[in-house]
């Protein structure tokens, strides 16, 4: 399990790195937000511990950028005591948990373990309603029938199925399915949503005007 620690105070960074390494985690440390972001973008990171007060950009800015590109890894924020406004802001930006400094290492460890516990999607099969996606064999089954999907269609559907009921913007879908360098003005996402609707029925993916698309959760579809 790989953890990125973004913390500019050497004493705290070293305390965290040593402690987490002793627990068997691979720890990568960044002194500032930019380096922290690029460590995550390089891939293979399971969790981020993120200080809010950083020299180049605020921790909340780091979190915002991560979520903007659809990066869903768990993020535990470290805040100075009493930064309540930051806590609220962090929650809205999609942080998973908080620790107020000074903190007990064991408590942080417990929270990291809780966030790294396998979630429902750790099996290779994703299910939403009567739709089943086997990410290992790359097979899609809808209402008991196998559906033939192209690689992009599969990747797009997988992204929706990992976030059922959640609105995903075109930018998020583009970066997740096609990579970061695509022209945000392209209509690729709309075209591929159209392909999926044709193959899987028009009611599955809802257009949220001005925001993007969402996969209707089973109770709604
Ligand atoms: Ca700091």
């Amino acid at each position: 399990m790989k953890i990125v620690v973004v913390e500019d105070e050497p004493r705290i960074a070293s305390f965290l790195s040593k402690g987490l390494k002793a627990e068997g985690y691979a720890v990568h440390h960044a002194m500032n937000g930019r380096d922290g972001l690029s460590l995550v973008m390089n891939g293979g990171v399971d969790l981020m511990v993120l200080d809010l007060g950083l020299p180049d950009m605020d921790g909340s800015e780091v979190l915002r950028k991560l979520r903007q590109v659809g990066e869903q890894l768990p993020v535990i924020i470290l805040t100075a005591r009493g930064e309540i406004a930051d806590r609220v802001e962090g929650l809205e930006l999609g942080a998973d948990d908080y620790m107020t400094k000074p903190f007990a290492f064991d408590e942080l460890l417990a929270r990291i373990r809780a966030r790294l516990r396998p979630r429902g999607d750790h099996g290779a099969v994703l299910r939403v309603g009567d739709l089943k996606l086997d990410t290992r064999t790359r097979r899609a089954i809808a209402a008991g029938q196998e559906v033939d999907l192209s690689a992009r269609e599969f990747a797009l559907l997988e992204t929706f199925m990992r976030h059922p009921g959640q609105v995903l913007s075109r930018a998020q879908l583009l970066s997740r399915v096609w990579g970061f360098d695509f022209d945000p003005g392209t209509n690729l996402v709309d075209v591929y949503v159209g392909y999926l609707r044709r193959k899987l029925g028009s009611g599955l993916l809802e257009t949220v005007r001005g925001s993007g698309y969402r996969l209707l959760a089973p109770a709604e579809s």
Side-chain angles (χ1 to χ4, degrees):
M1 285 291 191
K2 187 162 149 186
I3 298 178
V4 164
V5 173
V6 188
E7 169 62 75
D8 61 317
E9 289 176 60
R11 194 177 50 84
I12 298 177
S14 132
F15 160 73
L16 285 175
S17 296
K18 280 182 195 153
L20 291 172
K21 279 176 188 161
E23 292 298 320
Y25 296 106
V27 182
H28 296 250
H29 171 232
M31 291 288 282
N32 57 56
R34 184 160 298 120
D35 293 352
L37 277 173
S38 58
L39 282 175
V40 172
M41 296 308 179
N42 287 341
V45 179
D46 298 295
L47 182 141
M48 177 187 261
V49 177
L50 177 64
D51 182 30
L52 277 188
L54 295 168
D56 58 341
M57 61 176 95
D58 195 76
S60 58
E61 184 63 23
V62 175
L63 186 55
R64 186 179 296 120
K65 284 180 194 289
L66 282 177
R67 297 310 190 219
Q68 253 171 18
V69 297
E71 182 51 70
Q72 299 294 326
L73 92 164
V75 174
I76 298 178
I77 281 186
L78 303 177
T79 73
R81 198 201 306 251
E83 289 175 326
I84 300 301
D86 286 332
R87 288 184 164 223
V88 174
E89 193 191 0
L91 253 186
E92 285 167 357
L93 290 171
D96 298 270
D97 212 337
Y98 297 86
M99 292 292 296
T100 304
K101 292 180 189 176
F103 55 85
F105 181 75
D106 282 352
E107 197 191 343
L108 177 64
L109 193 60
R111 291 182 188 211
I112 287 174
R113 285 193 178 130
R115 293 298 157 191
L116 290 178
R117 217 164 272 150
R119 279 165 288 176
D121 65 15
H122 256 237
V125 180
L126 303 172
R127 285 167 212 271
V128 174
D130 64 6
L131 196 59
K132 222 165 80 178
L133 209 60
D134 190 324
T135 57
R136 230 174 304 176
T137 60
R138 317 299 289 175
R139 288 173 77 222
I141 313 272
Q145 297 284 318
E146 180 154 5
V147 182
D148 188 30
L149 298 178
S150 72
R152 291 289 194 205
E153 289 166 354
F154 192 95
L156 183 60
L157 183 59
E158 181 179 347
T159 305
F160 279 117
M161 287 184 73
R162 289 188 184 279
H163 309 280
Q166 192 182 319
V167 178
L168 298 173
S169 70
R170 286 176 180 79
Q172 284 175 326
L173 293 165
L174 260 186
S175 68
R176 282 260 148 168
V177 178
W178 282 271
F180 290 96
D181 297 331
F182 261 85
D183 169 16
T186 173
N187 68 345
L188 267 177
V189 170
D190 311 86
V191 169
Y192 274 78
V193 165
Y195 292 160
L196 287 179
R197 282 175 172 160
R198 225 166 294 158
K199 291 184 176 181
L200 299 165
S202 57
L204 189 69
L205 294 168
E206 182 188 34
T207 305
V208 182
R209 205 199 294 218
S211 303
Y213 296 98
R214 70 180 188 125
L215 179 69
L216 294 180
E220 304 168 279
S221 57

